[in-house]
Amino acid sequence: STKVDFAKLTLMDALDLATLIEVEAHKRYMQFAERLGSRDVDDAGAVFESMLRQAFGNHPHVGDIRGRGFLWGIELVRDRASKQPFDPKLKLHAQVRRHGFSRGLMVYPMGGTVDGWYGDHILLAPPFIAGEADLALIVERLSVAMDAAILAVQ
């Protein structure tokens, strides 16, 4: 029969469109992957983790470093051994953001991360296209910004 059911045609059109969108997204992903070479975000994330742990793993005011891939958080504490947080009135997280921004680094500052009032964290989320040199620059600028912010509140 040549009779067309327009309700079914709409569903078929939607499926065709979804397929085309998926094919185009896969094509763009492959172009992105080609630009990166054989490196993927998990591999680069391991490099980023190593850089962060080397730079901040023994820092006297870093209580914890945690994350995965290109999403990492750094906990800032007054005392590393006891993990005593800084006084929330100091807004250390905001100070790190300000000092980082003045050096060309954007971080996501978070306060009250222990109990809603106490606790300072810095979240890092570099773009997926960041290379090792970019990641090293992020770590270097964060180190300077953290030290300047801590010095400013002590």
Side-chain angles (χ1 to χ4, degrees):
S1 156
T2 58
K3 187 175 174 184
V4 176
D5 183 341
F6 287 102
K8 289 180 183 171
L9 182 61
T10 302
L11 177 60
M12 285 190 274
D13 287 342
L15 290 172
D16 287 345
L17 180 60
T19 301
L20 289 173
I21 289 170
E22 187 64 28
V23 166
E24 185 61 30
H26 180 72
K27 192 169 28 172
R28 276 185 268 139
Y29 173 78
M30 293 309 290
Q31 290 169 345
F32 171 71
E34 235 175 70
R35 280 197 325 248
L36 292 177
S38 62
R39 182 197 85 143
D40 65 17
V41 173
D42 286 336
D43 293 341
V47 170
F48 192 37
E49 176 183 9
S50 176
M51 290 177 176
L52 290 170
R53 292 197 186 283
Q54 184 176 348
F56 304 112
N58 292 317
H59 193 287
H61 296 291
V62 171
D64 196 8
I65 302 168
R66 56 187 174 269
R68 183 175 182 189
F70 273 15
L71 186 62
W72 285 89
I74 297 177
E75 177 188 26
L76 304 172
V77 294
R78 179 172 292 286
D79 178 66
R80 180 183 175 87
S82 68
K83 293 201 177 182
Q84 176 192 5
F86 281 91
D87 184 333
K89 294 175 189 164
L90 299 174
K91 296 189 180 200
L92 180 60
H93 58 282
Q95 293 286 335
V96 174
R97 185 207 57 81
R98 186 174 62 79
H99 284 280
F101 193 77
S102 72
R103 291 163 173 80
L105 175 67
M106 291 188 68
V107 299
Y108 299 94
M110 297 174 289
T113 51
V114 171
D115 61 2
W117 181 249
Y118 285 90
D120 294 282
H121 278 77
I122 299 300
L123 179 67
L124 302 167
F128 286 169
I129 60 171
E132 281 190 41
D134 301 313
L135 299 174
L137 187 59
I138 289 168
V139 171
E140 177 187 323
R141 289 181 179 177
L142 179 60
S143 180
V144 173
M146 279 176 41
D147 289 344
I150 290 166
L151 187 63
V153 299
Q154 287 186 331

